[in-house]
Amino acid sequence: MTEREQKLSLLLDLADLLAREVDLDVLLGALGRRVADALCAERGTVFLLDEASGALRSRVANRLELDEIVVPRGRGLVGHVAEAGEVVNLGDVGADPRHFSAVDRATGFTTRSVLAAPLRDRRGAVRGVLQVLNKRGGHFDDEDARYLLALGAQVALALDRTTLRPGAFAPRGVSVRGVFNHIVGASEPMRRVYDLVGRAAVADVTVLLRGETGTGKGLFARAIHANSRRAAAPLVTIDCTTLPESLAESELFGHERGAFTGADRRALGRVDAAAGGTLFLDEIGELSPAVQAKLLRLLQEKTFERVGGREPPASTSASSPRRTATSAR
């Protein structure tokens, strides 16, 4: 893929990256990596401007040395970009007194050239800095600078739709309110929940989410799915309160031709639709005991039969979804 194609691909994928319910560090790390690839740079970094302290905190794509780089307010080239709100493009950073060499010493990474642009939203407020280092085979040019500035504006607008959005009266910067990009909360109980979501996402297990109606079980189900290895496959949601008892089994498992009057062809159910992905059963306790018993077989044995069928579908074990069930009780 050419550099121009890389740039176009990143712009097209940006909306998808930020719309998914993903861990913010994973999301911003992926963005930094994609920016580096698109601009043929050795490293790409997203710096977020902390509205409370004015410091810039990094979300580094390829974390080879440090978990986080913190640049004090007004220090370094990124500090200048955040304060002035302008693009900086330097072919030789060693000759510029604004270069914050302490970062290079801490990481062991040698910065030769830098291109940095502000993350400026539609109100003109700077929310952070997007930076790429060391252009392979030359220096960053004016086209690179225009591209990074435009991309930074898109990222800043997207941050308003995540938990990184600024406080109501903040003239600049962002406020991190939660780990996942659409789930708000930073209390100790919420941090324990985030830890559980992270562990559930990487484990191939059935997950039970419990909580009263309106507490966000659907958001957490999406977070588990989006951060799992099944993220590219479907997330199929079923509101069990809307399933008529007479149709629930067919809706879930599908039916074979001739299974009942009017069944003139085989129909696939929601379990089939979620193959390879996640099946989210909202308010599972509203299903009849008979249907719950058949779901229990699906959860325990990872197999099922369609209505009117005599044996499990051939693809059941190979493509079964992760089962995520919730109950408000």
Side-chain angles (χ1 to χ4, degrees):
M1 186 180 292
T2 66
E3 182 177 338
R4 182 177 293 275
E5 290 171 336
Q6 290 264 26
K7 290 177 179 177
L8 179 59
S9 175
L10 176 55
L11 286 173
L12 293 175
D13 291 346
L14 178 61
D16 178 63
L17 282 172
L18 287 152
R20 290 173 48 203
E21 186 61 67
V22 298
D23 184 303
L24 286 169
D25 282 344
V26 174
L27 183 152
L28 294 172
L31 176 62
R33 183 176 62 254
R34 292 287 303 277
V35 170
D37 291 342
L39 290 168
C40 297
E42 292 182 5
R43 176 162 298 184
T45 308
V46 181
F47 285 92
L48 299 180
L49 182 60
D50 187 330
E51 69 177 32
S53 68
L56 286 156
R57 298 181 176 275
S58 70
R59 294 297 185 266
V60 184
N62 40 350
R63 298 182 178 187
L64 301 179
E65 308 88 11
L66 302 177
D67 285 339
E68 184 179 55
I69 297 171
V70 180
V71 180
R73 182 171 186 169
R75 296 294 300 275
L77 290 166
V78 291
H80 171 80
V81 172
E83 292 286 334
E86 62 185 18
V87 176
V88 166
N89 184 5
L90 292 177
D92 180 10
V93 299
D96 194 300
R98 295 172 297 179
H99 177 50
F100 191 41
S101 58
V103 174
D104 278 6
R105 290 195 298 271
T107 62
F109 182 84
T110 301
T111 302
R112 299 185 302 276
S113 60
V114 60
L115 175 63
L119 305 180
R120 188 189 290 277
D121 66 18
R122 65 178 55 146
R123 296 179 295 277
V126 175
R127 304 305 179 189
V129 176
L130 190 55
Q131 174 186 267
V132 286
L133 303 176
N134 298 354
K135 176 88 169 187
R136 296 186 179 94
H139 299 299
F140 299 107
D141 58 25
D142 290 343
E143 181 182 342
D144 293 332
R146 287 191 294 271
Y147 174 82
L148 197 67
L149 184 62
L151 185 63
Q154 292 301 310
V155 174
L157 293 177
L159 292 180
D160 280 343
R161 299 194 294 273
T162 76
T163 54
L164 289 170
R165 57 189 178 274
F169 303 104
R172 63 203 304 272
V174 296
S175 176
V176 179
R177 296 177 175 85
V179 176
F180 297 95
N181 66 333
H182 292 294
I183 301 175
V184 176
S187 65
E188 182 57 33
M190 286 299 291
R191 285 195 289 269
R192 291 197 294 270
V193 172
Y194 297 147
D195 179 64
L196 288 172
V197 169
R199 284 188 281 167
V202 299
D204 197 8
V205 296
T206 298
V207 180
L208 175 64
L209 299 171
R210 300 180 63 187
E212 298 298 325
T213 300
T215 53
K217 298 185 296 294
L219 282 176
F220 285 109
R222 285 194 290 274
I224 291 170
H225 172 75
N227 289 280
S228 74
R229 64 181 179 83
R230 299 168 180 259
L235 168 65
V236 176
T237 299
I238 303 175
D239 182 354
C240 296
T241 63
T242 65
L243 291 180
E245 185 174 350
S246 60
L247 299 177
E249 186 177 351
S250 177
E251 183 73 17
L252 287 168
F253 305 115
H255 62 260
E256 300 289 351
R257 181 181 179 184
F260 48 82
T261 302
D264 56 355
R265 59 184 177 84
R266 170 184 289 177
L268 303 183
R270 300 291 186 90
V271 173
D272 283 302
T278 301
L279 179 65
F280 174 43
L281 301 168
D282 197 11
E283 305 293 357
I284 193 173
E286 297 299 318
L287 295 173
S288 70
V291 175
Q292 288 190 45
K294 293 185 177 181
L295 277 174
L296 182 61
R297 181 189 179 199
L298 172 67
L299 300 180
Q300 289 182 330
E301 302 177 14
K302 296 181 174 58
T303 188
F304 68 94
E305 294 175 6
R306 298 190 181 101
V307 176
R310 299 182 182 275
E311 58 184 31
S315 62
T316 297
S317 60
S319 60
S320 60
R322 178 194 305 276
R323 271 67 58 185
T324 303
T326 74
S327 173
R329 290 172 174 78

